Amino acid sequence: MAVGELPFFAQMQPAPKEGTASITTRLPLGTIFESRDYIFSTATNVRSYEWTLKEAEELLDDLLDASSGIFPSDLPKQDYELSQIVLVPMEWDRELYGLGNRYDVHDGQQRLVTLCLLFAALRESFANDEGMDDTAMELANMLNPPKVRKADVVRIELNKRDNEVLVHILKNDLKELDHLNLKKLTKANQRIYENYKQYVARIDEMEKSEKVKFLDYLVENVYMLVCIPESATIARSLVMSQGKGKDNEPIDDFKGLVCFRYTSDEDNMYRTFDAWDKLAAVSDLDNGSVGRNTVSDACLLRATAELRTKIRKRDQVYSLERWLRMYVVENKHEGHVFYKKKVEPASLLLGQYREGTFNLFGFYARSKGAQVWKSIVMRLRFLRELTNTIPAVKEVEVVVLELLLRAGASEGSKPMSLPDLDRYLHEVEQLALWMALVKPSATYLDKIYDDKKNDIQVISQEDKSSLREALVITEFGSSASGKKIAIALLKRLNAFVLAQEDGKDDAIMSSMETYLESILPIQGSKKAWGDSWPDPNERDKWVNRLGNLAILNSKATAREAKMAFADKKKEEAKMAFADKKKRYTNEIYPLTSKLANMEEWNSTNLVKHLAS
């Protein structure tokens, strides 16, 4: 393909619309296999041919039983329903191939390939029978439909790596099969060869009259429901609604587009396919694997950022292809380059961020000896805890990943300096807290970028003001999500204090188990707390707020571990502040241990503690 020339995928599927129609037609195999009206492709399907001898034998036995069913001679043969196939129209070069249609097979690959093998076995068998040349030719034309003055085409084409055996069978080029080293071919090629040979052996055992009767039954009485939706998105929904393709996700469809449809060179196709498989394997960051979900999330996050729009679940494949196509058109590159420039770097960085292995970042080497690195790590730990545990904050990963890519210069631009990264991450921390506490209803992605300055605008002064207010008035201790936010926030504040104390390393806090405690108990007894908190309204106002919460790393004593929850609450209610101070003294969290220096825990000291 010449530089700047659009490849064969120039037409992209339109965005799916609500209520878009699908056309379903019940057709006999004789119609489906008769001309070039139904030519099939699975070139972008990431699922290979998977049927073994077991499934192939079951289909043949079922069809033979149906064709030889015992019916009265005056009754018509009973039709056999071979279930639905789901097809999406593809481009078809009429000048090259004549009248016809090519379809991308979203459901039915296993059955269509196996039927082709069955017709090929019948073709070979009839070719050896006297007086059956016309029937053998009829079958050959079903698999390789001819058109005068037009290029050859086979009934179905798999992706190139899995198509080596099948193409020889369909073209009746059987001598070439003997020259193939099956052990070096893919599993799909081996299964196709084994199933074909088994079908040949089974068909050869039949009498000529039985074969003719069987063939007539196949082309006249075996039906398929041919469903043709208007878009790939609708096709995928149809397949999922039938309980199929449950392991197939939008990222798998996108992988097929990147590796096969948007890459023209065969070697590049399979190098990219294999590299993607390794990247999406079970997470092993040292070996460059992050897992399928992380690859999916990374692609969606980057598509969201670069398209400047929130992606709905039903639009994922369409939006991902828009992102891919935008890159291909603007940069005159193909899918394999897109994978190396976009998919792989984003996936690795997101995996490293989510697992907290920040020392694996490509720009880590620049940080050695830099004090700013400790600040960056503190901020990333805080953001990681929020984005991993608070759903309302998940969207912030769009900005985090953008900053990490800029810092690593993953796309060839000048790398962002570490001080700039630290400054931006400080803003993102505030954005994450604001989203966690305020829970805005609309997406704020349109505020992230300022295209004119190529800068990142993270959070406005107005939003910072509302954040400061939320930090004071939010009742963190009254809900499970509030407690998670409080733990993350208090760990972050304690990490900052530790860093100020002779540059102590706060890494230990990122791995230890943490417990949240209300300093003034929610059900504090009047005897233990009445003097310090005489006003019940004041107590109710502060008991669940941030100023009254502390984190501890000390585990429960053996006695406390055996105690029922109701008894624990009673015990805590009786415990005065003087008793709690003894537990706080040896705490590793500095803000908690400093509570031991207070003589009394009342509203005045609570406000002082909150301000600190």
Side-chain angles (χ1 to χ4, degrees):
M1 186 179 71
V3 174
E5 178 187 348
L6 281 178
F8 67 91
F9 46 80
Q11 296 298 320
M12 195 178 78
Q13 286 286 344
K17 300 177 181 178
E18 298 289 349
T20 306
S22 298
I23 299 173
T24 301
T25 311
R26 181 175 179 265
L27 296 175
L29 294 186
T31 299
I32 296 173
F33 282 80
E34 184 178 21
S35 64
R36 297 189 173 192
D37 286 342
Y38 291 94
I39 301 298
F40 307 111
S41 172
T42 66
T44 62
N45 196 327
V46 294
R47 184 185 177 192
S48 301
Y49 179 74
E50 297 173 354
W51 274 19
T52 63
L53 285 173
K54 177 178 179 294
E55 289 83 14
E57 290 270 39
E58 286 177 355
L59 176 62
L60 178 57
D61 289 339
D62 216 24
L63 291 170
L64 285 170
D65 288 345
S67 68
S68 60
I70 302 175
F71 302 107
S73 58
D74 59 339
L75 290 180
K77 292 179 182 178
Q78 187 173 3
D79 292 337
Y80 184 95
E81 305 296 337
L82 200 53
S83 190
Q84 177 175 272
I85 58 175
V86 180
L87 313 173
V88 174
M90 298 177 66
E91 289 184 1
W92 175 261
D93 190 335
R94 182 178 291 188
E95 185 176 340
L96 181 63
Y97 298 115
L99 296 176
N101 298 285
R102 189 188 301 275
Y103 295 97
D104 190 5
V105 181
H106 278 244
D107 183 33
Q109 174 185 204
Q110 312 300 317
R111 284 166 287 152
L112 288 170
V113 171
T114 308
L115 285 171
C116 286
L117 298 180
L118 179 55
F119 285 131
L122 283 164
R123 177 197 63 200
E124 185 172 348
S125 185
F126 280 123
N128 295 323
D129 289 336
E130 186 177 351
M132 300 303 294
D133 290 346
D134 288 346
T135 302
M137 181 58 66
E138 174 192 355
L139 286 158
N141 291 343
M142 291 169 66
L143 300 174
N144 190 7
K147 185 78 73 171
V148 177
R149 300 183 304 279
K150 298 299 178 181
D152 286 344
V153 64
V154 292
R155 179 62 58 189
I156 188 168
E157 182 181 48
L158 309 183
N159 69 64
K160 291 184 179 180
R161 187 159 53 176
D162 292 338
N163 202 50
E164 294 179 72
V165 171
L166 182 61
V167 70
H168 290 305
I169 293 173
L170 297 182
K171 289 183 175 181
N172 202 15
D173 191 10
L174 303 180
K175 291 182 179 180
E176 288 297 320
L177 291 179
D178 298 331
H179 298 120
L180 296 176
N181 187 343
L182 290 174
K183 292 182 180 179
K184 292 185 177 181
L185 298 182
T186 64
K187 287 289 185 184
N189 279 292
Q190 294 173 26
R191 294 188 187 106
I192 289 169
Y193 182 84
E194 291 168 359
N195 290 345
Y196 171 67
K197 287 297 185 182
Q198 181 64 15
Y199 275 177
V200 169
R202 289 285 303 274
I203 297 299
D204 280 346
E205 294 173 355
M206 299 170 63
E207 296 292 333
K208 184 196 297 186
S209 60
E210 292 177 317
K211 290 186 287 186
V212 171
K213 177 184 176 183
F214 183 47
L215 175 59
D216 286 343
Y217 182 80
L218 288 176
V219 298
E220 296 171 7
N221 295 92
V222 177
Y223 284 80
M224 280 182 157
L225 285 176
V226 179
C227 178
I228 304 178
E230 290 187 0
S231 73
T233 301
I234 299 171
R236 185 175 180 277
S237 298
L238 285 169
V239 174
M240 296 291 287
S241 69
Q242 297 170 23
K244 300 178 181 180
K246 289 182 178 178
D247 291 332
N248 195 66
E249 296 290 339
I251 191 62
D252 300 311
D253 295 336
F254 185 54
K255 175 183 177 183
L257 291 173
V258 173
C259 297
F260 299 120
R261 183 165 294 178
Y262 280 74
T263 300
S264 58
D265 179 75
E266 185 176 352
D267 289 339
N268 287 331
M269 285 181 183
Y270 292 108
R271 272 197 292 268
T272 306
F273 187 86
D274 292 340
W276 193 307
D277 275 350
K278 179 186 176 185
L279 183 68
V282 177
S283 182
D284 181 0
L285 292 175
D286 289 335
N287 290 311
S289 300
V290 298
R292 177 193 188 195
N293 289 340
T294 299
V295 175
S296 175
D297 291 346
C299 289
L300 289 169
L301 290 170
R302 294 307 298 148
T304 296
E306 296 194 29
L307 296 174
R308 308 294 201 268
T309 183
K310 190 175 180 67
I311 297 173
R312 297 181 300 172
K313 190 171 182 63
R314 65 183 296 273
D315 295 339
Q316 286 182 2
V317 176
Y318 170 73
S319 298
L320 288 171
E321 188 174 4
R322 275 186 62 209
W323 173 45
L324 165 62
R325 184 173 174 77
M326 182 175 72
Y327 176 83
V328 167
V329 172
E330 288 180 0
N331 296 280
K332 309 298 187 293
H333 289 155
E334 290 196 1
H336 64 288
V337 180
F338 175 86
Y339 170 80
K340 291 299 293 183
K341 297 278 188 180
K342 296 285 188 177
V343 176
E344 188 178 68
S347 299
L348 288 172
L349 279 172
L350 184 62
Q352 292 157 2
Y353 164 74
R354 286 182 171 178
E355 294 195 21
T357 54
F358 309 135
N359 61 316
L360 293 180
F361 290 159
F363 56 88
Y364 172 68
R366 287 193 281 129
S367 70
K368 291 182 179 178
Q371 186 64 30
V372 70
W373 177 251
K374 291 185 178 180
S375 178
I376 290 172
V377 169
M378 277 194 295
R379 301 190 195 286
L380 287 173
R381 284 187 186 135
F382 174 60
L383 288 166
R384 172 178 174 265
E385 185 150 4
L386 283 182
T387 55
N388 282 354
T389 59
I390 310 299
V393 183
K394 200 68 179 172
E395 197 170 311
V396 170
E397 284 188 329
V398 173
V399 194
V400 174
L401 186 54
E402 171 76 24
L403 291 173
L404 295 179
L405 286 165
R406 291 192 184 191
S410 298
E411 297 178 11
S413 58
K414 183 179 178 181
M416 176 184 285
S417 70
L418 294 184
D420 281 347
L421 175 61
D422 185 58
R423 176 171 57 87
Y424 278 126
L425 286 175
H426 175 58
E427 295 277 308
V428 179
E429 286 183 295
Q430 296 176 72
L431 173 66
L433 262 181
W434 176 76
M435 293 182 72
L437 298 178
V438 178
K439 297 182 179 64
S441 57
T443 179
Y444 281 78
L445 292 174
D446 58 337
K447 300 169 72 174
I448 290 173
Y449 297 96
D450 183 341
D451 290 329
K452 293 180 181 178
K453 297 180 180 178
N454 193 29
D455 207 350
I456 300 178
Q457 307 297 320
V458 180
I459 183 171
S460 67
Q461 289 300 321
E462 181 182 352
D463 293 335
K464 288 180 182 180
S465 297
S466 64
L467 171 60
R468 283 191 288 270
E469 181 182 359
L471 286 171
V472 175
I473 66 173
T474 299
E475 295 193 345
F476 292 89
S478 62
S479 67
S481 62
K483 290 176 182 177
K484 289 178 182 178
I485 298 169
I487 289 174
L489 179 56
L490 289 171
K491 286 172 73 173
R492 173 67 178 93
L493 294 172
N494 278 276
F496 175 78
V497 173
L498 273 181
Q500 301 304 305
E501 295 177 354
D502 300 323
K504 289 182 179 178
D505 189 0
D506 69 311
I508 187 173
M509 294 199 301
S510 64
S511 58
M512 67 171 56
E513 198 166 1
T514 306
Y515 306 87
L516 186 68
E517 179 172 292
S518 298
I519 304 169
L520 164 66
I522 295 174
Q523 299 293 335
S525 68
K526 188 173 182 179
K527 180 179 179 181
W529 295 92
D531 292 341
S532 299
W533 295 87
D535 185 351
N537 292 329
E538 187 75 0
R539 185 190 67 78
D540 292 341
K541 172 185 173 181
W542 288 105
V543 69
N544 283 313
R545 293 187 181 181
L546 188 63
N548 189 53
L549 301 176
I551 50 175
L552 301 90
N553 74 298
S554 56
K555 295 182 179 180
T557 63
R559 175 176 170 276
E560 290 171 337
K562 296 177 182 178
M563 199 180 293
F565 182 65
D567 295 329
K568 283 184 181 180
K569 290 202 297 184
K570 291 178 183 177
E571 189 77 11
E572 185 184 5
K574 295 176 184 176
M575 190 181 293
F577 182 63
D579 299 319
K580 287 197 168 193
K581 284 168 50 174
K582 296 175 183 177
R583 296 170 56 216
Y584 298 156
T585 302
N586 297 320
E587 268 298 323
I588 192 170
Y589 295 109
L591 293 178
T592 303
S593 63
K594 287 177 181 179
L595 292 170
N597 299 328
M598 293 186 177
E599 294 297 325
E600 184 180 11
W601 185 249
N602 53 27
S603 59
T604 301
N605 283 337
L606 184 151
V607 172
K608 288 180 181 178
H609 177 64
L610 179 61
S612 69

Coordinates of all heavy atoms in Angstrom, one line a residue, residues 41 81 102 145 210 222-223 263 352 375 418 440 467 486 565 611:
S41 N -16.2 -14.6 5.3 CA -14.8 -14.3 5.8 C -14.9 -14.3 7.3 O -15.8 -13.8 7.9 CB -14.4 -13.0 5.3 OG -13.1 -12.6 5.9
E81 N -33.1 -28.1 10.8 CA -32.7 -26.7 11.1 C -31.3 -26.7 11.7 O -31.1 -27.2 12.8 CB -33.8 -26.1 12.0 CG -35.2 -26.2 11.6 CD -35.5 -25.4 10.3 OE1 -34.7 -24.5 10.0 OE2 -36.4 -25.7 9.6
R102 N -19.9 -10.4 0.1 CA -19.1 -11.0 1.1 C -19.5 -10.6 2.5 O -19.9 -9.4 2.8 CB -17.6 -10.5 1.0 CG -16.6 -11.3 1.8 CD -15.2 -10.6 1.8 NE -14.7 -10.6 0.4 CZ -14.1 -11.6 -0.2 NH1 -13.9 -12.8 0.5 NH2 -13.6 -11.5 -1.4
P145 N -17.1 -21.1 -6.2 CA -18.1 -20.7 -7.2 C -17.5 -19.9 -8.4 O -16.9 -18.9 -8.2 CB -19.1 -19.8 -6.5 CG -18.4 -19.4 -5.3 CD -17.4 -20.4 -4.9
E210 N -26.8 -43.9 -1.6 CA -26.9 -43.3 -0.3 C -26.3 -41.9 -0.3 O -26.8 -41.0 0.2 CB -26.2 -44.2 0.7 CG -26.8 -45.5 1.0 CD -26.0 -46.3 2.1 OE1 -24.8 -46.4 1.9 OE2 -26.7 -46.9 3.0
V222 N -31.9 -29.1 4.5 CA -31.1 -28.5 5.6 C -31.1 -27.0 5.5 O -30.7 -26.4 4.5 CB -29.7 -29.1 5.7 CG1 -28.9 -28.4 6.8 CG2 -29.7 -30.6 5.8
Y223 N -31.7 -26.4 6.5 CA -31.9 -24.9 6.5 C -31.0 -24.2 7.6 O -30.7 -24.8 8.6 CB -33.4 -24.6 6.7 CG -34.2 -24.8 5.6 CD1 -34.7 -26.1 5.2 CD2 -34.7 -23.7 4.8 CE1 -35.5 -26.3 4.1 CE2 -35.5 -23.9 3.7 CZ -35.9 -25.2 3.4 OH -36.7 -25.4 2.3
T263 N -4.2 -4.1 9.0 CA -2.8 -4.4 8.7 C -2.8 -5.3 7.5 O -3.5 -6.3 7.4 CB -2.2 -5.2 9.9 OG1 -2.2 -4.4 11.1 CG2 -0.7 -5.6 9.6
Q352 N 1.2 -1.3 35.3 CA 2.1 -1.0 36.4 C 1.5 0.0 37.4 O 1.8 -0.2 38.6 CB 3.4 -0.3 35.7 CG 4.2 -1.3 34.8 CD 5.0 -0.6 33.7 OE1 5.0 0.7 33.6 NE2 5.7 -1.4 32.9
S375 N 7.6 12.4 46.1 CA 6.3 13.1 46.1 C 5.4 12.5 45.0 O 4.2 12.2 45.2 CB 6.6 14.6 45.8 OG 5.3 15.2 45.7
L418 N 9.8 15.8 35.5 CA 9.2 15.2 36.8 C 8.6 16.3 37.6 O 7.5 16.0 38.2 CB 10.3 14.5 37.5 CG 10.9 13.2 36.8 CD1 11.9 12.5 37.7 CD2 9.8 12.3 36.5
P440 N -20.1 14.1 40.9 CA -20.8 14.9 39.8 C -21.5 14.0 38.9 O -21.1 12.9 38.6 CB -19.6 15.6 39.1 CG -18.4 14.7 39.4 CD -18.6 14.2 40.8
L467 N -14.6 21.3 47.2 CA -13.9 20.2 47.8 C -13.5 20.5 49.2 O -13.7 19.7 50.1 CB -12.6 19.9 47.0 CG -11.6 18.9 47.6 CD1 -12.3 17.6 47.8 CD2 -10.4 18.8 46.7
A486 N -11.9 7.8 53.5 CA -11.2 8.3 54.7 C -9.9 7.6 54.9 O -8.9 8.2 55.2 CB -12.1 8.2 55.9
F565 N -19.6 -8.7 67.9 CA -19.6 -7.3 67.4 C -20.4 -6.4 68.4 O -19.9 -5.3 68.7 CB -20.2 -7.2 66.0 CG -20.3 -5.9 65.5 CD1 -19.1 -5.2 65.2 CD2 -21.5 -5.2 65.3 CE1 -19.1 -3.9 64.6 CE2 -21.5 -3.9 64.8 CZ -20.3 -3.3 64.4
A611 N -7.4 20.7 61.5 CA -6.7 21.8 60.8 C -5.2 21.3 60.5 O -4.6 21.8 59.6 CB -6.7 23.0 61.6

